[in-house]
Amino acid sequence: MTPKSVLILGARSDIGRAVARRFAQSGASVTLAARRADALADDLADLRIRFKVVAEAVEFDATDGAAERFFDGLPALPDVVVMVVGLLGDQAQSEADLDAANAVMAANYTGPACYLLAAARRMGTRGSGCIVGISSVAGDRGRQSNFVYGSAKAGFTAFLAGLRNRLFKKGVTVVTVKPGFVATAMTAGMKLPPALTAQPSEVGDAIFTAVTKGRDVIYVRPIWRLIMTVIRSVPETVFKRLSM
Amino acid sequence: MSEPDRTRVPLTGWGRYPRRDCEVAAPTDPAAAAVARAPARPLIARGNGRSYGDASFGPGLTVDMRRLGRLIAFDEATGELTCEAGALLSEIVAVFTPRGWFPPVTPGTKFVTVGGMVASDVHGKNHHGAGSFCDHVLSARLALGDGTILTCSRAENADLFAATCGGMGLTGTLLTVTFRLIPVRSSKILQETVRAPDLATAIDIFESGSARTYSVAWIDCLASGAHLGRSVIIFGEHAAPQDLDPSEQATPFARPSPRGKRVPVDFPTVALNRLSVSLFNQVYYRLQKPGRKVVDIDPYFYPLDAIQDWNRIYGRHGFVQYQCVLPLETSRDGLTALLTEIARVGQASFLAVLKRLGHESFGHLSFPRAGYTLALDFPANPETFALLDRLDRIVTEAGGRLYLAKDARMRAPMLRAGYPRLEQFNAVRRRYGLDGRFRSALSDRLEI
Ligand SMILES: Cc1cc2nc3c(=O)[nH]c(=O)nc-3n(C[C@H](O)[C@H](O)[C@H](O)COP(=O)(O)OP(=O)(O)OC[C@H]3O[C@@H](n4cnc5c(N)ncnc54)[C@H](O)[C@@H]3O)c2cc1C
Ligand SMILES: NC(=O)c1ccc[n+]([C@@H]2O[C@H](COP(=O)([O-])OP(=O)(O)OC[C@H]3O[C@@H](n4cnc5c(N)ncnc54)[C@H](OP(=O)(O)O)[C@@H]3O)[C@@H](O)[C@H]2O)c1
């Protein structure tokens, strides 16, 4: 499928920007949805100048519980919806402060999932479309260092799998994206191994290809599939003793 | 607004010499770049790190501008472009060449940011006619490191504009730049190659070719005696559709598909010895067949960009580039003295480029001035540094100066001798409270 329109939910993120550029490069019109959407004027100008596409911005908060109203307010249902929203948070803080934990869970799971339910119903009725969810390898196994974030992503991964199954017969595809490490604002200041770290533009390219080729689950750098297979295969009796 | 996250990383310029562990921030939001505050620690902006020496990192916070590269406004009628300072020239060329617009001035690599082009007031092969990049800059927005943002241009804060153009990032962080692209009718260059058996002939060819749009010479700097200054001079004009092969005339902006080579690992340091360089130079000299042909903009303007990470061929100790300009009156004698000294030592310079520059720019620390500029690469080692000290004396005696965007080792007295408007520059920095607030490894070394 060659999408004619794409909606990016969480468009201010480095990954969201890269995805927007990649779709615009193919000529798709782009809607950027983010908090403080009025501050996206320069991003819209950039897309219009570079790619001569239609680009608009809409106000959006993934955790406001107003998904139905949001989609009803759009001038048209886009061909592709990409959910980029996420919040890494701080594991220690989440353990100490339950409000912080809740915020991480809401930003990575309940908020995004509710928005995608609203999108899915509309796409199902139309009988076409593609939903992309950015989840994480952190959801492939809970680890002491980030399991609040990881468990929310695990929920989101399971949600996307079920949604794919649900929409299959309705002609709507669902792509689960597990980026591995990406050099973005979220990871700024962390020491990341270069061979395992993708640039945002690679994520944009990978998502575009997955959408046009109808892929189900992608790891942006293929090495991550192997790494996570190994990590998942460690027996729990051993795993619980590790400091990962 | 919180300050951007930061991390400590070893940084170098393109020459990979010198190296320094730096605190780095990479803001995605222009407001974050603007509020990055001194004097808790001094600031310096970094573009794409294509300056060779120590200009693009500093003792305080180094602000990586590459995430702020949006194109903000473009006027299809005039070619006027406003973009964020972190925009790469390569992206501007890719977006606008197919639409018939080209940068008014371009350095020998397109992997530079617009901010870096302003801060170094870069010159191209058309300097004798078009001037330097800042001659085409209409205005810029500059963050002064205390939260203030000023617009500067020839009309507004003109003193700050003159200090900023060529000011090596020492007058603030450029956020956006407005400049004018030039119209072109194809993505091709009509190239003419002429051989010069010696320096005198090369200079005569430059002087009689002043009406040509682009010109540059590659010198075989190991040639000596009667061959001293042996070179190939390459002229260029933007091609019109009728200059192209008939099969290409219908699509004058078509581009060849990109094909990147990469230098995968550091070359052993011995790879670039005198013999291999001499061979390279002789082969290059012979390969450049005299005559005319039509070539794509990439091989014409950016031949080295075809080999990614070519700076690794000098090995892990890195290399230095030496670029000087000599006034017109002293150019013949000065260049002869420089080339004689280089040939005598037989130091291996992989590339040696000679170019006629036009007029002096309005930027206080801009490099170009009327005369001839010579650029050479040398491995970073003690013999090189000793040679360069001797070349410094020749340059200073000839009334010349070194290019700050290339320099990694000159000392303060040479800077003061070569840049008589340094006092004006410093006065502007004091007037706006910028001295001490913006510092790079280069400014510390040169006591700016
Ligand atoms: C192969 C090659 C060929 C070259 N050919 C030429 C040539 O033909 N002519 C020529 O003039 N130069 C040439 N150069 C030099 C190059 O054009 C300059 O060094 C240019 O400044 C590099 O841009 P950058 O974005 O990489 O900047 P950096 O190298 O990262 O920084 C250079 C300077 O600009 C400042 N700076 C960068 N961004 C900002 C900003 N946003 N605000 C304020 N200050 C900023 C930095 O503080 C630093 O002082 C060449 C370099 C290479 C590697
Ligand atoms: N970087 C990595 O290594 C990595 C690895 C795996 C997965 N991911 C995932 O990739 C996605 C993008 O992350 P990133 O790396 O680009 O980091 P990022 O810049 O921190 O992106 C997160 C984005 O989510 C938005 N957001 C958070 N809560 C929101 C809410 N309630 N409503 C609307 N928007 C909200 C933020 O918007 P504001 O601008 O308004 O704050 C921000 O733009 C996330 O889902 C992340 O989990 C990243």
Side-chain angles (χ1 to χ4, degrees):
Chain A
M1 129 177 189
T2 313
K4 294 199 176 52
S5 54
V6 62
L7 167 68
I8 317 278
L9 298 164
R12 185 177 292 105
S13 61
D14 288 339
I15 292 177
R17 281 181 173 148
V19 174
R21 279 193 183 180
R22 184 60 191 86
F23 278 86
Q25 192 191 330
S26 77
S29 64
V30 179
T31 304
L32 304 181
R35 302 184 284 202
R36 294 177 292 124
D38 51 338
L40 291 172
D42 288 348
D43 293 277
L44 294 175
D46 182 73
L47 292 168
R48 290 174 189 145
I49 293 171
R50 277 177 203 256
F51 307 111
K52 298 198 162 184
V53 295
V54 176
E56 303 298 340
V58 291
E59 187 66 29
F60 153 74
D61 185 329
T63 51
D64 62 1
E68 302 290 1
R69 196 161 7 105
F70 175 84
F71 281 101
D72 287 342
L74 292 181
L77 185 64
D79 289 350
V80 180
V81 173
V82 185
M83 176 57 78
V84 191
V85 170
L87 176 63
L88 186 56
D90 177 88
Q91 175 68 25
Q93 198 197 340
S94 290
E95 287 178 32
D97 171 1
L98 300 188
D99 287 342
N102 246 316
V104 171
M105 293 175 190
N108 291 298
Y109 178 44
T110 52
C114 286
Y115 264 83
L116 293 187
L117 281 175
R121 182 159 13 81
R122 289 165 174 79
M123 284 188 176
T125 307
R126 182 176 66 186
S128 71
C130 176
I131 289 174
V132 181
I134 304 197
S135 191
S136 173
V137 296
D140 284 7
R141 187 157 198 178
R143 294 180 291 126
Q144 63 170 349
S145 57
N146 69 353
F147 66 84
V148 174
Y149 172 77
S151 63
K153 286 293 192 188
F156 193 48
T157 300
F159 171 87
L160 292 168
L163 195 65
R164 178 178 308 114
N165 191 195
R166 181 87 180 87
L167 292 175
F168 178 70
K169 290 213 178 70
K170 301 199 170 169
V172 179
T173 55
V174 176
V175 182
T176 307
V177 183
K178 298 183 184 177
F181 298 140
V182 189
T184 68
M186 186 177 270
T187 52
M190 300 182 188
K191 291 239 182 307
L192 300 177
L196 301 182
T197 306
Q199 293 305 310
S201 62
E202 286 176 65
V203 184
D205 290 345
I207 289 177
F208 183 78
T209 307
V211 169
T212 49
K213 301 235 160 102
R215 303 256 153 82
D216 297 325
V217 181
I218 60 164
Y219 290 80
V220 171
R221 292 214 167 172
I223 178 80
W224 276 103
R225 192 181 287 274
L226 182 70
I227 294 172
M228 294 322 294
T229 304
V230 172
I231 290 182
R232 270 196 310 263
S233 69
V234 179
E236 196 62 24
T237 50
V238 177
F239 199 81
K240 69 181 179 194
R241 293 165 215 272
L242 303 178
S243 44
M244 289 184 81
Chain B
M1 183 72 50
S2 62
E3 283 206 21
D5 285 334
R6 54 185 57 101
T7 141
R8 260 195 115 73
V9 281
L11 291 180
T12 71
W14 186 242
R16 308 172 84 209
Y17 170 88
R19 180 179 304 261
R20 181 176 185 139
D21 275 336
C22 299
E23 212 181 316
V24 181
T28 42
D29 182 344
V35 300
R37 269 174 212 260
R41 83 187 89 36
L43 304 170
I44 193 70
R46 177 173 169 99
N48 206 32
R50 251 46 176 197
S51 56
Y52 280 72
D54 52 1
S56 62
F57 50 90
L61 182 64
T62 301
V63 185
D64 179 342
M65 297 298 289
R66 287 174 301 179
R67 282 183 167 149
L68 294 168
R70 289 171 292 192
L71 311 182
I72 295 171
F74 182 63
D75 184 333
E76 306 265 357
T78 61
E80 199 175 304
L81 173 67
T82 299
C83 63
E84 287 182 310
L88 285 174
L89 185 63
S90 56
E91 296 185 359
I92 290 171
V93 169
V95 169
F96 293 104
T97 307
R99 300 183 204 171
W101 296 100
F102 196 70
V105 165
T106 177
T109 171
K110 58 182 173 176
F111 299 122
V112 294
T113 64
V114 170
M117 290 172 74
V118 172
S120 297
D121 192 10
V122 298
H123 57 274
K125 298 174 182 178
N126 57 354
H127 188 270
H128 57 282
S132 53
F133 185 68
C134 292
D135 286 321
H136 305 266
V137 172
L138 302 171
S139 67
R141 281 173 63 247
L142 195 66
L144 302 192
D146 60 353
T148 326
I149 297 174
L150 285 186
T151 299
C152 54
S153 67
R154 282 168 195 78
E156 205 176 336
N157 300 308
D159 54 348
L160 186 57
F161 189 61
T164 300
C165 293
M168 301 308 288
L170 298 171
T171 61
T173 305
L174 288 155
L175 298 177
T176 65
V177 178
T178 301
F179 65 103
R180 212 169 261 152
L181 299 171
I182 56 165
V184 292
R185 296 169 62 201
S186 78
S187 61
K188 301 279 190 294
I189 296 290
L190 197 56
Q191 166 181 313
E192 184 180 356
T193 304
V194 186
R195 279 189 191 164
D198 55 35
L199 181 66
T201 316
I203 289 183
D204 289 344
I205 293 172
F206 270 118
E207 294 302 322
S208 60
S210 59
R212 307 294 194 95
T213 305
Y214 298 105
S215 60
V216 69
W218 298 73
I219 296 197
D220 174 358
C221 64
L222 292 178
S224 57
H227 301 300
L228 192 81
R230 173 169 74 181
S231 40
V232 285
I233 293 145
I234 306 176
F235 292 110
E237 303 293 334
H238 287 285
Q242 63 266 25
D243 298 325
L244 308 184
D245 190 271
S247 66
E248 294 176 335
Q249 291 187 1
T251 53
F253 294 109
R255 303 293 312 279
S257 61
R259 215 170 3 103
K261 298 188 192 66
R262 176 177 270 275
V263 175
V265 287
D266 295 351
F267 268 44
T269 319
V270 289
L272 274 185
N273 58 19
R274 183 187 162 132
L275 185 67
S276 60
V277 172
S278 161
L279 266 174
F280 173 85
N281 277 293
Q282 288 184 33
V283 170
Y284 192 86
Y285 183 77
R286 301 244 147 71
L287 273 182
Q288 298 303 314
K289 293 261 179 311
R292 291 155 71 89
K293 61 178 175 179
V294 175
V295 297
D296 181 68
I297 49 174
D298 271 346
Y300 184 77
F301 289 106
Y302 317 113
L304 290 167
D305 286 352
I307 312 165
Q308 275 186 56
D309 302 337
W310 64 262
N311 56 340
R312 287 165 166 252
I313 60 176
Y314 280 94
R316 68 192 166 84
H317 299 299
F319 66 109
V320 287
Q321 177 149 121
Y322 191 83
Q323 182 170 3
C324 62
V325 57
L326 305 183
L328 210 46
E329 317 78 72
T330 59
S331 281
R332 282 176 197 263
D333 290 349
L335 288 171
T336 304
L338 289 170
L339 292 170
T340 306
E341 180 61 19
I342 294 159
R344 184 182 74 76
V345 185
Q347 265 283 22
S349 178
F350 189 46
L351 298 171
V353 176
L354 181 69
K355 156 110 207 80
R356 171 77 155 89
L357 296 181
H359 62 90
E360 181 157 80
S361 169
F362 65 92
H364 296 154
L365 292 191
S366 282
F367 168 70
R369 54 165 300 164
Y372 279 84
T373 177
L374 178 68
L376 310 150
D377 288 353
F378 298 100
N381 62 36
E383 297 90 84
T384 290
F385 294 129
L387 168 68
L388 299 187
D389 284 346
R390 295 196 295 279
L391 300 188
D392 281 355
R393 282 195 282 281
I394 299 172
V395 170
T396 303
E397 262 164 42
R401 59 168 72 131
L402 300 186
Y403 190 8
L404 296 175
K406 306 289 179 80
D407 176 55
R409 34 70 54 194
M410 89 164 125
R411 287 172 294 271
M414 169 123 192
L415 174 83
R416 289 194 286 269
Y419 288 86
R421 288 177 296 168
L422 181 62
E423 252 327 297
Q424 267 169 279
F425 178 78
N426 283 331
V428 173
R429 293 226 302 156
R430 283 192 298 272
R431 198 172 308 144
Y432 289 87
L434 301 165
D435 49 332
R437 218 186 269 166
F438 288 88
R439 276 169 59 193
S440 62
L442 174 135
S443 74
D444 282 3
R445 173 169 56 82
L446 294 173
E447 299 163 26
I448 301 178

